[in-house]
Amino acid sequence: MYMYLSGISGVYDKQVVKHNTFSSNPESLGAELLETLVKMAPSKEEEIKLLEYSGDISKLGSAERFLKTVLDIPFAFKRIEAMLYRANFDTEVKYLRKSFQTLEEASEELKNSRLFLKLLEAVLRTGNRMNDGTNRGDAKAFKLDTLLKLVDIKGTDGKTTLLHFVVQEIIRSEGAGTDSANGNLKEDDFRKQGLQVVGGLSRDLSNVKKAAGMDSDVLSSYVSKLEMGLEKVRLVLQYEKPDMQGNFFNSMRMFLKDAEEEIAKIKAYERKALLQVKEVTEYFHGNATKEEAHPFRIFMIVRDFLSILDHVCKEVGQMQDRTMVGSARSFRITATASLPVLSRYNVGQDASSDDESLSP
C-alpha cells in the first residue's frame, strides 16, 4: 500500500492538504481523486501510530507524511466518504431518472403501438382459423409467449412458418393502405411499402428493447443504496464543532436537504414507472402477472420476438417474387407448438378494423 501512496502523495499533497480543501471547498475535488483518497484510508492501527508519532516528520516516507498531514484534519476520511457520495450523486440520480423514464416510455409504446396490436390480432385470427372446429377455435386472446413459437409452426413446404404468413398478411394490409393514398403504385411497390412499415416495428418499440435489458432488483438496489448513502453525510455533520472553520459543514447541510428531496422524487418516479409496467403486463397477460418471476419479462418477450420478426421480414423481402402460402390451413402443427392461450387482451378498434383485409 505504501508504495502505491508514494507515487501519488506528491501529486495530491499540495492539492488536497495545503489548501485544506476538506474544510474550505468540498466541491473542488473530483470523484476520481476522492475515490483514490478513500482507498488510501489507513487501518485503525496505522492511524493510531501516525497520530501518536512525535518524531522528525522528515524521517517518515512520503506516503506516511502525506497520511499524517491528512489525519491532522478532523475526521478527514469521514469527510472524504461524504464528499465522494456527493460527487457521484447527480450521476446516479440521472441514471435512475433515465431508467424509469425508459420503463414508462416502453410501457406506452407497447400499449399504444397500432402495428403491434394489429399483428397480435392477425396472429389471434390465424390461430382461430387453424383451430376451427376445436375447443380452441374461438380464443379471445393469447399470452405474448406464443409469439416466440410462431416459427415452430411450419407450412406444408416445411420452410415457411406461421410468422411468415402473418407478416405477409400485415404487409398486404399496410401496403393496401398506402396504395389507396397513391393510386399510381403498382402491387410490388405497395408490398415493399408494407414491408417497410412492418420492418419498422422494431424501431418503433426501441424503448421496449432497452427496458428488456433492465433488472428490477438492480434498479431497486440502486435506489436503496443512494438513500442509505445519505447516512455518510448525516454522520459527518455530527462531528461539527463551533470552533471549526471553513464552508464544509454549511455546504454539506445544504446538500443533504436537496438530496433528501431529490431521493423522495426518485422513489415516487420509481413507483410510477413500476405501476405502468404492471398495468401494461396486466393489459396483455391479465391475472397471469402474478406468475411472472421477472417484472420486466414482458419486455424481454417482445424484444426477442422483434429480433425474430426482423429476420423474418428480411426473408419475406427476399421472397417477394415468389408465391407465398395463401391460407392459414396450409400449416401443420408440430407436437411442441403452443397455440393461442386464453387471457385478457383488449384489441383496439384500429386493429379490428382491418379484419377483412387480413383474411387469407
Side-chain angles (χ1 to χ4, degrees), residues 230 233-234 237 252-260:
L230 285 177
V233 180
R234 296 189 182 103
L237 287 175
M252 279 296 176
R253 270 194 298 272
M254 293 176 60
F255 167 72
L256 178 62
K257 180 177 181 297
D258 292 340
E260 287 174 337

Side-chain angles (χ1 to χ4, degrees), residues 82-94 96-97 222-234 237 250-268:
M83 292 164 67
L84 177 58
Y85 171 80
R86 178 177 181 173
N88 290 326
F89 185 81
D90 287 344
T91 301
E92 297 291 339
V93 167
K94 184 178 180 180
L96 289 170
R97 280 188 174 277
Y222 283 170
V223 175
S224 298
K225 183 179 179 181
L226 193 66
E227 185 174 23
M228 289 187 296
L230 285 177
E231 290 303 316
K232 296 178 181 178
V233 180
R234 296 189 182 103
L237 287 175
N250 286 335
S251 179
M252 279 296 176
R253 270 194 298 272
M254 293 176 60
F255 167 72
L256 178 62
K257 180 177 181 297
D258 292 340
E260 287 174 337
E261 293 176 355
E262 193 63 49
I263 289 177
K265 293 177 183 178
I266 285 293
K267 293 173 71 175

Side-chain angles (χ1 to χ4, degrees), residues 43-275:
S43 66
K44 192 64 178 177
E45 182 181 354
E46 291 170 335
E47 181 178 344
I48 292 173
K49 286 182 179 180
L50 287 170
L51 288 173
E52 293 180 347
Y53 180 77
S54 58
D56 187 353
I57 298 296
S58 64
K59 293 183 179 180
L60 294 175
S62 59
E64 288 87 347
R65 288 199 305 271
F66 177 70
L67 279 177
K68 182 167 177 57
T69 307
V70 171
L71 291 172
D72 286 341
I73 301 171
F75 319 109
F77 285 97
K78 295 295 183 184
R79 298 189 190 208
I80 293 171
E81 290 179 356
M83 292 164 67
L84 177 58
Y85 171 80
R86 178 177 181 173
N88 290 326
F89 185 81
D90 287 344
T91 301
E92 297 291 339
V93 167
K94 184 178 180 180
Y95 170 78
L96 289 170
R97 280 188 174 277
K98 182 63 177 177
S99 297
F100 296 138
Q101 179 183 354
T102 297
L103 290 173
E104 287 191 45
E105 292 177 353
S107 300
E108 290 297 318
E109 284 177 357
L110 204 53
K111 194 171 181 179
N112 297 322
S113 172
R114 177 194 67 84
L115 187 59
F116 184 65
L117 293 178
K118 186 173 183 177
L119 190 148
L120 296 183
E121 176 71 357
V123 172
L124 182 65
R125 286 200 302 271
T126 302
N128 282 337
R129 293 192 192 106
M130 293 168 59
N131 291 322
D132 189 30
T134 71
N135 59 0
R136 285 182 168 181
D138 191 28
K140 304 300 181 184
F142 60 92
K143 292 182 67 174
L144 294 187
D145 304 64
T146 303
L147 294 174
L148 303 178
K149 300 176 182 179
L150 295 178
V151 290
D152 294 333
I153 304 175
K154 305 289 186 179
T156 52
D157 62 359
K159 298 179 180 179
T160 306
T161 70
L162 182 57
L163 184 57
H164 286 81
F165 171 76
V166 171
V167 167
Q168 181 186 253
E169 292 301 299
I170 297 289
I171 288 173
R172 288 173 179 170
S173 174
E174 293 296 312
T178 304
D179 186 44
S180 63
N182 186 352
N184 295 324
L185 285 177
K186 297 180 180 180
E187 182 177 355
D188 287 345
D189 293 329
F190 76 71
R191 282 186 177 179
K192 290 179 180 178
Q193 293 278 6
L195 181 59
Q196 290 179 357
V197 174
V198 178
L201 181 60
S202 184
R203 181 179 61 253
D204 295 341
L205 300 180
S206 59
N207 283 298
V208 171
K209 293 191 290 184
K210 293 178 184 177
M214 296 181 183
D215 187 301
S216 61
D217 290 337
V218 171
L219 286 177
S220 179
S221 69
Y222 283 170
V223 175
S224 298
K225 183 179 179 181
L226 193 66
E227 185 174 23
M228 289 187 296
L230 285 177
E231 290 303 316
K232 296 178 181 178
V233 180
R234 296 189 182 103
L235 176 63
V236 81
L237 287 175
Q238 294 177 7
Y239 297 135
E240 183 180 15
K241 295 180 180 179
D243 59 341
M244 286 183 172
Q245 298 179 352
N247 188 46
F248 178 84
F249 290 103
N250 286 335
S251 179
M252 279 296 176
R253 270 194 298 272
M254 293 176 60
F255 167 72
L256 178 62
K257 180 177 181 297
D258 292 340
E260 287 174 337
E261 293 176 355
E262 193 63 49
I263 289 177
K265 293 177 183 178
I266 285 293
K267 293 173 71 175
Y269 205 179
E270 177 188 27
R271 289 191 296 270
K272 180 183 176 185
L274 295 181
L275 178 60

